[in-house]
Amino acid sequence: VFGSCVVRVTDRNADKNPGDDPGGLKNEYSRVQAFNCDGSRFLVRSTWGGWYVWDAATLLPIGRAPVPGAEPRWDAADPDMVYYSEGTTLYSVDVNEDESVLVHDFAADFPDQSLAAVWTRWEGSPSRDSRFWGLMAEDESWRISALLVYDREANRVVATRDLRGLEDQDADSVTMSPLGNYLLAYF
C-alpha cells in the first residue's frame, strides 16, 4: 500500500543462543527505539525476557546482549552503550563487554520508602539526548509511590511528585518528552 519493503529479521529457532528457553523474538515495544544512535545495531527481545543485539547492515544476530535487567535503552551518543533498570537502580553497559556500571541508585533518594522498582514500566524512554529520565517509583506492593525526573548529567533527581496515599491511582507507564522538559505519565 505504501511502497515500503518489509523484511522479517528474526528466526526464533536459529537465532537464539543454545540453552535459551523457547519462544519468539520481537521488538520490545512500538514506543521504544530499537536502533542505536548511529543505526548500526538494534535490540531484539525474546518473549521470555532475554535481549539480543543485531547488526543493522547484515540483519544478522551479533549475540546475547549483556543486559541482566529490564528496559534497555541505547545511549544517544555512544553506539555501544545501553542503559537498563534493575530494581531501584539504573545501570549502563557496553554491549561489547559484560561489565555493568552503576549510574544511580534511586533508593537513596527515597530513604523513608521501601521501593521495589524505579523504572518506566516497560514503555518509556529518556529524552533524546539521554540526559533526562522520567521514572516512576513503586513500593513493595507494586503500587506507584512517586513520579520523578532524573538528570543523568548532574546525577541527581531534579523533580518528584509524591503519590503515596493515592492507592486508587495506578500508572500504566511513564516516559520523558524528547526535549526533556516534560514527564508523561499514562494512568
Side-chain angles (χ1 to χ4, degrees), residues 25-129:
L25 296 167
K26 64 184 215 80
N27 179 44
E28 178 186 6
Y29 195 75
S30 60
R31 290 191 294 217
V32 175
Q33 177 58 264
F35 288 87
N36 66 354
C37 64
D38 67 4
S40 63
R41 298 177 182 174
F42 59 93
L43 286 172
V44 173
R45 182 182 184 273
S46 72
T47 55
W48 59 268
W51 297 96
Y52 293 87
V53 179
W54 247 257
D55 184 296
T58 65
L59 300 181
L60 294 173
I62 293 171
R64 190 95 190 266
V67 177
E71 304 184 318
R73 304 296 183 257
W74 289 106
D75 184 74
D78 184 341
D80 298 325
M81 184 71 61
V82 170
Y83 299 96
Y84 67 90
S85 62
E86 188 171 42
T88 62
T89 55
L90 180 67
Y91 287 94
S92 65
V93 65
D94 183 312
V95 295
N96 301 312
E97 307 290 330
D98 196 12
E99 187 173 325
S100 296
V101 175
L102 177 67
V103 175
H104 193 83
D105 185 350
F106 296 98
D109 298 301
F110 299 91
D112 62 330
Q113 296 184 45
S114 184
L115 300 177
V118 176
W119 60 335
T120 71
R121 200 168 176 261
W122 299 298
E123 299 175 21
S125 295
S127 58
R128 74 172 160 224
D129 61 2

Side-chain angles (χ1 to χ4, degrees), residues 75 157-158:
D75 184 74
V157 173
V158 295

